[in-house]
Amino acid sequence: MTQFLQFLILGVGVGAGYALLAEGIVVVYRGSGILNFSHGALAMVSAFVFYELHKDHHWGVTAAFITSVALTTLIGVVVHLVVMRPLRNASPVVRVIATLGVLIVLQSAATLRYGSSPIVIKGWLPRSVWHAGSITILYDRVIMTVVALVLTLSLWALSRYTTVGLAISAVSENRRSAAALGWSPDLIAGLSWGVGSALAGVAGIFIAPLLGSLTIDGLTLIVITALAAALIGNFSSFPLTLVGALVIGAGRSILPLYYHQTGAPEAIPLLVIVVLLALSGRGLPLRGFVLDRLPRVGKGRVRLTALVPALAIALLIIARASSSAIDAFTTSATVAIMMLSIVVLTGYCGQLSLAQYAIGGVAALIAGRLVDERSWGLIPAGLVGIAGAVIVGSLLAIPALRTRGINLAVVTLSLGLALEVLVFNNSDLSGGFDGISIRNPNLFGWSIDTGAHADRYALVVLTALLILGFAVATMRRGRVGRRLIAVRTNERAAAALGINVYEVKLYAFALGSSIAATAGIFIAFSRHSIVFSNFSPFPSIVVVAYIIIGSVGFVIGAAFGSLLIAGGVFAYLIGSWFPSLTTYIQLAGGILLILNLMQAPNGIASLTATNLQRLVDKIARRPEGSVPAAHAITTPPSTRVVAAPSDTAEPADAAAQPIRHRVRASTLEVKDLTVRFGGVTAVRSVSFTAGPGEIVGLIGPNGAGKTTVIDAITGFVTASSGTIRLDGRDITRLPAYRRSRLGIGRSFQSLELFDDVSVEENLRVAFDPRDRIGYLTSLVRSGNSAWPPEARAAIHDFGLEGDLERDAGELPYARRRLVAVARAVAAQPSVLLLDEPAAGLDDKTRAELTLLIRQMSRESGMAILLVEHDMAFVMSLCDRIAVLDAGAKIADGSPAEIRTNPLVRAAYLGEEESASLHGATDLISDSAHVGDAGSASDLQPERSMS
């Protein structure tokens, strides 16, 4: 027991140092909404400067302490003003990547000044001890604990009882509202960055002696432990953050008494992060009002006019260049393969992973040991290594199922560090300091040893890069690529179209892991021994930075980004022409990343593609920004009910009628549906049916529960009680994607289009097959399906031919709403739920949309549930109407019955809505007339809205 208490007290003192760092993270997050990954680097700078001033220049402790903390405070304020303030309207993920750029800059600058070797130091605090019986208490730990307690109490009181603290809380809740009340969010953010950075400086000076030496990587990566503590405090509570840090410190100290696995104590904060973020499904309280969008994504097209010359240059380098030039080329090509894994994961699927090098290290470890100890050939050993890495990478997909964006970056960086401390630093597994020996690797008896045949090894790496690059590009052009991008852009919309989001994420991690594993094996076998320091977390951060510069959404972006890597082609050229500048390459890379995010966030490849398109438009004398006529749809032109509101659109040919096939007839039955959110009942015992060819309206005032009903039917909220049946089958507990596959489709009140891709791809996602074999076949053949009749009809009816090649995000709002409805129709559902489809449309387009919806329902047999605030629109279109008020159904009947229902009129309709309802009376007879006709074609104008 004495030993336990001794180690507990020691651990609490260490935890106090972590608490100082974690409190700084909380301060920055509360004031600016940014999760600062460079916080550990600030602590590192402070520690190095303090010991330089104190030991080398013989400054007093107080002067060195104040100067070091003041420097980190200044750095924090400058980072806010120069980097974060210009990015204040960027997405949280982009701002986090910017902090990675700051981390690279600070770490590179420290390396230039202090070198990469550890510097042994002695503590500056008193080393006196106090004995409490048989327990020894160190004064330095007591001092750190007291400092942590005092600072935590001060921060808590400041945030709770002072005007500035209340302002920070207001900004953390709602940036715009705080600004409206006279508080400057930029001023608050700058203050938070200054205070948070000062705390990082204090923490670095206190923590460094506990490590025994100054190491740039070691001090920088203590941010992981601080993140775990801040996460326990939910990035808002200073007392809980302190408790979390003390518990983590105590746990790291006590664990070695009972468990002797190498690296286990260091893995405790990582376990905390995974448990809290992944298993509990709890995410960071991101409060940004800007849509979280990643950089632009490419189309996966292979341009031979650019590829052939580049390939010729590569082959010329391999055949004629010096061995050092070939090594530089091989390094860049290998890193390009690693970057391809990030293109798949982050560029296409939106999963920000900071563990790709760690995954590559797993493959290198497995393959290397098989070659070294079992004398396996390179290919079988490599395949087994890749398989092992895929298993590990797929495990990373488990937290990805419940976290995303910044949350996932924290988890993957933590797991990457866990692999380093538990596996790569374990000498029994990794061979210790000497690593794993690799003797004369060969392919089918053909030696590819880099010492004797560097050109052969480079040729093998180039071949692998080309194969994988073509595979990724092919996958992007096909249905699987569209699934990934749908998940990246909007998981709700993807699930509503029948895409299994979990399955897609698992595939992205598996494919990305296999590519990263291939790169890891090439890195490992490029030398005669595998040294696992190459697979530490920091290279994973650097490679993400450089692929962002290159363009993370483009396959060619991997080639651009890899040129900048240390030891790569750019470094070789700089070393040949300006040898003294080679040590500054990584520093320049960090600065370039930050500038890139501020000026060209989509990267070099995207900028190149944009300029090429402008050049093509200029040569073709096409106005910049216009779109050529779509070539993919060959159905003859038909009468449009809703046409493009474009002055340049050509008149429609009214002679042809769009061909629609009847959907599978299905009846939707909702019985006693109740939905509760905590203690609030949003929907109470609602029942109704919608049969084939029937249009049912669902109306009510704002907050009545209409959209919640649609969300419950489609599986986006869980019904507390009641049943939802489709053709008698109970679907109440099925996930959203399975309900969609059974025939329930929907549009969204907020549109939720896939803005990063074209209108054509938005529509194709709706009817693409959901087969699993496509995950394999799409790597060799895109396999795009033919357009089904309903999709062809939707394109013509909504007048979308001229918009097919335009990105959905470029369209005006009214066009985007029409695309959203067309996408829902293209999925060919049996039951279609439309949530305010006429919002934002003018009167003429709204009237034409009325005719189109009725025509679709009658001709295809589609059941439609319509939620809309426009009473004239609803009354003229619906066969039956259900009325909700405060979550309960108060009326159900024909439009005429609803119009005269006294309960409806008296219960909630105001004078304006009542007048609107009364004014819709004349449209009811028109609606009945259209219904009797069975087709609206006779009522359609030759050309709709222009």
Side-chain angles (χ1 to χ4, degrees):
M1 187 64 179
T2 300
Q3 188 181 38
F4 175 84
L5 291 176
Q6 178 72 72
F7 279 84
L8 175 63
I9 293 172
L10 291 173
V12 168
V14 174
Y18 297 145
L20 294 172
L21 195 64
E23 304 286 21
I25 291 176
V26 173
V27 168
V28 173
Y29 187 84
R30 281 170 59 96
S32 66
I34 296 172
L35 188 60
N36 183 17
F37 274 82
S38 66
H39 205 69
L42 288 168
M44 176 269 298
V45 169
S46 178
F48 270 93
V49 171
F50 173 82
Y51 279 94
E52 179 185 0
L53 295 176
H54 181 50
K55 300 298 183 183
D56 296 345
H57 300 288
H58 308 293
W59 284 31
V61 169
T62 302
F65 190 99
I66 293 174
T67 303
S68 302
V69 174
L71 176 62
T72 54
T73 303
L74 178 63
I75 292 173
V77 173
V78 170
V79 167
H80 165 70
L81 293 175
V82 176
V83 180
M84 297 304 166
R85 186 178 179 184
L87 293 173
R88 60 186 176 273
N89 290 328
S91 72
V93 170
V94 169
R95 286 181 286 169
V96 162
I97 293 172
T99 68
L100 294 179
V102 174
L103 183 154
I104 293 171
V105 170
L106 293 177
Q107 190 161 10
S108 302
T111 302
L112 288 172
R113 180 163 183 81
Y114 301 107
S116 56
S117 300
I119 301 174
V120 179
I121 60 173
K122 294 181 180 180
W124 58 276
L125 289 171
R127 297 293 295 174
S128 305
V129 299
W130 173 55
H131 296 283
S134 57
I135 299 175
T136 300
I137 300 176
L138 302 178
Y139 279 155
D140 61 346
R141 307 302 170 92
V142 173
I143 292 173
M144 281 194 292
T145 304
V146 171
V147 170
L149 288 171
V150 170
L151 283 176
T152 299
L153 181 62
S154 300
L155 289 169
W156 173 78
L158 193 71
S159 65
R160 191 175 182 89
Y161 298 112
T162 68
T163 303
V164 173
L166 294 176
I168 292 176
S169 298
V171 170
S172 69
E173 290 294 328
N174 192 306
R175 180 186 178 97
R176 286 179 171 176
S177 297
L181 294 174
W183 293 105
S184 169
D186 286 333
L187 179 62
I188 295 298
L191 178 63
S192 300
W193 269 91
V195 174
S197 300
L199 288 171
V202 173
I205 296 171
F206 275 107
I207 292 174
L210 304 179
L211 302 178
S213 63
L214 292 175
T215 60
I216 292 176
D217 285 355
L219 282 168
T220 300
L221 292 176
I222 59 172
V223 70
I224 299 298
T225 303
L227 283 172
L231 183 61
I232 293 175
N234 199 29
F235 289 86
S236 60
S237 171
F238 295 112
L240 286 179
T241 299
L242 172 65
V243 171
L246 296 180
V247 169
I248 290 172
R252 291 184 62 166
S253 179
I254 293 170
L255 185 62
L257 295 176
Y258 305 99
Y259 187 65
H260 305 292
Q261 174 65 41
T262 300
E266 290 80 2
I268 286 181
L270 318 180
L271 179 63
V272 170
I273 289 174
V274 171
V275 169
L276 291 182
L277 274 182
L279 301 184
S280 69
R282 180 168 126 206
L284 304 181
L286 298 179
R287 53 176 177 75
F289 59 87
V290 181
L291 184 63
D292 190 1
R293 292 184 62 182
L294 289 166
R296 179 186 171 194
V297 65
K299 299 182 183 301
R301 295 172 180 168
V302 178
R303 300 183 183 276
L304 294 179
T305 53
L307 178 62
V308 172
L311 182 58
I313 293 173
L315 292 175
L316 184 63
I317 292 174
I318 294 173
R320 299 293 184 185
S322 65
S323 59
S324 57
I326 294 174
D327 284 344
F329 171 81
T330 303
T331 299
S332 285
T334 303
V335 173
I337 296 175
M338 184 68 75
M339 288 181 174
L340 279 178
S341 73
I342 302 173
V343 170
V344 172
L345 262 177
T346 305
Y348 292 169
C349 198
Q351 309 303 301
L352 181 56
S353 172
L354 299 177
Q356 295 308 98
Y357 263 82
I359 292 171
V362 170
L365 176 65
I366 295 173
R369 293 196 63 169
L370 289 175
V371 170
D372 182 34
E373 299 176 7
R374 303 294 180 89
S375 299
W376 281 33
L378 177 58
I379 290 181
L383 292 175
V384 173
I386 291 172
V390 167
I391 293 173
V392 173
S394 298
L395 292 177
L396 291 180
I398 295 175
L401 303 183
R402 302 178 69 87
T403 61
R404 58 193 55 83
I406 298 172
N407 310 23
L408 185 60
V410 174
V411 171
T412 54
L413 181 60
S414 302
L415 292 177
L417 185 58
L419 285 172
E420 182 185 37
V421 300
L422 293 174
V423 179
F424 302 152
N425 291 347
N426 188 332
S427 58
D428 294 334
L429 296 175
S430 61
F433 181 79
D434 294 329
I436 297 174
S437 177
I438 302 297
R439 297 181 297 274
N440 191 25
N442 66 87
L443 287 175
F444 308 109
W446 192 51
S447 175
I448 55 171
D449 181 84
T450 54
H453 304 288
D455 54 341
R456 296 181 182 179
Y457 196 82
L459 186 60
V460 172
V461 173
L462 175 62
T463 302
L465 175 61
L466 289 173
I467 293 173
L468 292 172
F470 274 112
V472 172
T474 302
M475 181 268 292
R476 164 63 188 93
R477 295 194 303 272
R479 59 188 182 277
V480 172
R482 287 189 287 273
R483 289 180 207 171
L484 266 63
I485 292 174
V487 170
R488 155 197 154 119
T489 309
N490 192 313
E491 293 183 16
R492 281 169 50 88
L497 293 172
I499 295 174
N500 186 339
V501 173
Y502 291 174
E503 181 180 279
V504 169
K505 287 185 178 181
L506 181 63
Y507 171 76
F509 270 92
L511 179 59
S513 298
S514 66
I515 297 173
T518 304
I521 291 172
F522 281 129
I523 291 172
F525 282 74
S526 64
R527 298 292 180 264
H528 291 145
S529 64
I530 304 175
V531 179
F532 287 92
S533 59
N534 292 328
F535 302 103
S536 67
F538 189 66
S540 292
I541 295 174
V542 172
V543 80
V544 167
Y546 287 159
I547 186 59
I548 293 292
I549 295 173
S551 288
V552 71
F554 290 72
V555 171
I556 193 62
F560 286 140
S562 67
L563 297 176
L564 305 175
I565 204 73
V569 171
F570 185 70
Y572 171 78
L573 295 176
I574 293 295
S576 300
W577 299 334
F578 310 101
S580 60
L581 297 181
T582 54
T583 55
Y584 295 92
I585 289 177
Q586 191 158 287
L587 175 63
I591 296 173
L592 184 59
L593 171 62
I594 295 171
L595 294 176
N596 187 88
L597 291 174
M598 291 192 292
Q599 301 298 326
N602 293 316
I604 296 173
S606 174
L607 191 63
T608 303
T610 301
N611 290 332
L612 283 175
Q613 185 61 54
R614 288 176 179 172
L615 180 61
V616 170
D617 290 344
K618 185 176 181 179
I619 293 174
R621 296 183 179 179
R622 185 187 304 144
E624 185 176 315
S626 66
V627 179
H631 59 272
I633 307 301
T634 56
T635 302
S638 63
T639 301
R640 280 79 160 175
V641 178
V642 181
S646 170
D647 294 335
T648 60
E650 296 181 1
D653 180 1
Q657 182 72 18
I659 301 173
R660 291 189 182 88
H661 290 179
R662 294 189 66 82
V663 300
R664 182 173 61 86
S666 297
T667 299
L668 173 68
E669 302 173 70
V670 178
K671 184 175 182 181
D672 298 328
L673 176 65
T674 298
V675 178
R676 297 185 182 91
F677 299 104
V680 178
T681 301
V683 176
R684 183 183 296 107
S685 299
V686 170
S687 301
F688 61 86
T689 62
E694 185 179 24
I695 303 176
V696 178
L698 190 64
I699 64 173
N702 288 330
K706 305 180 295 296
T707 297
T708 302
V709 169
I710 289 183
D711 284 344
I713 293 171
T714 52
F716 291 101
V717 299
T718 302
S720 302
S721 62
T723 58
I724 303 168
R725 297 182 180 275
L726 187 66
D727 277 345
R729 176 178 177 176
D730 189 349
I731 62 171
T732 311
R733 303 301 171 191
L734 293 182
Y737 79 91
R738 290 192 60 188
R739 301 188 196 195
S740 174
R741 294 181 184 183
L742 289 174
I744 294 182
R746 69 169 294 178
S747 68
F748 291 88
Q749 182 179 358
S750 54
L751 304 187
E752 307 206 22
L753 294 173
F754 306 128
D755 289 335
D756 297 330
V757 296
S758 66
V759 171
E760 177 183 341
E761 291 197 283
N762 267 271
L763 299 177
R764 279 193 173 275
V765 170
F767 63 80
D768 275 335
R770 304 295 179 226
D771 57 322
R772 289 179 175 172
I773 191 64
Y775 289 121
L776 294 177
T777 60
S778 65
L779 295 173
V780 295
R781 183 175 178 273
S782 58
N784 289 322
S785 304
W787 290 83
E790 198 66 34
R792 291 171 178 263
I795 290 170
H796 284 280
D797 290 341
F798 288 91
L800 299 177
E801 298 96 323
D803 294 322
L804 289 176
E805 292 187 359
R806 297 181 66 183
D807 286 350
E810 297 176 355
L811 300 177
Y813 178 81
R815 300 296 294 158
R816 285 163 49 77
R817 183 160 288 282
L818 297 181
V819 172
V821 177
R823 186 182 68 182
V825 172
Q828 307 168 75
S830 299
V831 179
L832 177 60
L833 286 61
L834 297 175
D835 196 352
E836 298 193 27
L841 303 182
D842 59 38
D843 292 339
K844 184 176 181 181
T845 305
R846 190 180 295 115
E848 293 166 346
L849 181 61
T850 303
L851 299 175
L852 173 58
I853 292 175
R854 177 167 292 280
Q855 180 178 339
M856 287 192 307
S857 176
R858 296 294 184 263
E859 292 184 2
S860 66
M862 190 182 296
I864 296 178
L865 177 67
L866 174 69
V867 169
E868 182 58 61
H869 284 286
D870 185 336
M871 292 297 102
F873 185 81
V874 173
M875 290 293 176
S876 64
L877 181 59
C878 295
D879 301 305
R880 288 188 299 106
I881 299 174
V883 185
L884 298 184
D885 183 30
K889 187 177 76 171
I890 63 173
D892 189 347
S894 68
E897 293 170 337
I898 293 300
R899 185 184 66 82
T900 58
N901 188 305
L903 184 61
V904 174
R905 299 180 65 88
Y908 71 97
L909 284 180
E911 292 183 1
E912 184 177 346
E913 288 178 293
S914 179
S916 175
L917 184 66
H918 181 75
T921 308
D922 297 337
L923 294 175
I924 297 177
S925 58
D926 293 338
S927 174
H929 172 71
V930 174
D932 293 339
S935 172
S937 59
D938 295 337
L939 301 178
Q940 297 169 4
E942 289 186 5
R943 178 64 185 169
S944 60
M945 194 67 184
S946 63

